[in-house]
Amino acid sequence: MTYENILVETHGKVGVIRLNRPHALNALSAGLIEDLNKALEAFEADKGVGAIVLTGSEKAFAAGADIKEMQDKTFADVFIEDFISKWENVAKTRKPVIAAVAGFALGGGCELAMMCDFILAADTAKFGQPEIKLGVIPGAGGTQRLTRFVGKSKAMEMVLTGRMMDAAEAERAGLVSRVVPAAQLFEEALKVAATIAALSAAAVYAAKESVNRSYETTLTEGIRFERRIFHSLFATEDQKEGMKAFVEKRAAAFRNR
Ligand SMILES: CC(C)(O)CC(=O)SCCNC(=O)CCNC(=O)[C@H](O)C(C)(C)COP(=O)(O)OP(=O)(O)OC[C@H]1O[C@@H](n2cnc3c(N)ncnc32)[C@H](O)[C@@H]1OP(=O)(O)O
């Protein structure tokens, strides 16, 4: 399938989605979000895909919502269509999604990256929530997710001033898992995604769900949830294979059963 605003390919068990509106720094138009959702749905349904990489160009992961497309909308327009609600599909994807960010990740671009399971950043990456300069506020989770990643003080400064954070600051603040040289970003993201895709899918889904649960519940409930999920994995063949392989000093061959 071909799309107007994204490029889609697979590398072994890794699905890659590349945002591709170079003339607009990958601004997130309605068409791009529609393409992105279709590609995510296709990768979710593809049993041959175990992890997904979401990336952009050298200059921009994405410079936010498409301002030209959004500028004339009225309150009634955005309220009735529930503008932005369709963007959440990345966060709802069960397969792991890794954001590989080079250049600008601003506004909705930063929010999209934060919906992924983790962010690998090039040393050229710049993150920010500049919506305040447009007379609005972040609308795709920026005030909520950024605060959970970097804490209230830094999130508040960024949201109130629109200041950008470079890759080094983003790593120190816990927004990104690692920073790599720009030339190595894509290969590194593919490598990490391939490592995850080779593991037991049941364990990977369970791990993702369990980490995400920590955002939504108390510590006591979260720990109980984790333990029950851990118990349930003993019902899989992959648990038997993983532990047997360790004891036999060989690589495990997971079959997603
Ligand atoms: C999702 C929500 C609800 O949270 C809302 C949002 O996301 S609001 C959008 C937040 N993002 C921004 O405010 C960033 C806007 N862009 C910029 O500030 C700058 O483009 C830049 C700092 C990222 C890069 O600057 P520069 O290198 O000077 O490039 P430009 O000449 O400005 O841009 C090149 C080209 O891209 C178009 N562009 C850039 N960003 C957007 C955008 N968000 N929407 C639409 N178009 C965008 C820009 O207009 C230029 O195109 P031309 O006008 O020259 O055709």
Side-chain angles (χ1 to χ4, degrees), residues 21-28 59 63-70 83-84 87 104 106-109 111 129-131 133-134 136-142 164:
R21 293 187 75 216
H23 56 285
L25 301 183
N26 292 334
L28 303 164
K59 179 143 194 217
D66 189 320
I67 300 167
K68 292 169 189 166
E69 192 179 79
M70 153 172 86
F83 181 47
I84 301 291
W87 293 37
F104 296 111
L106 301 179
E111 291 168 309
Q129 297 292 161
E131 290 89 343
K133 296 183 190 170
L134 301 171
V136 290
I137 68 166
M164 286 187 224

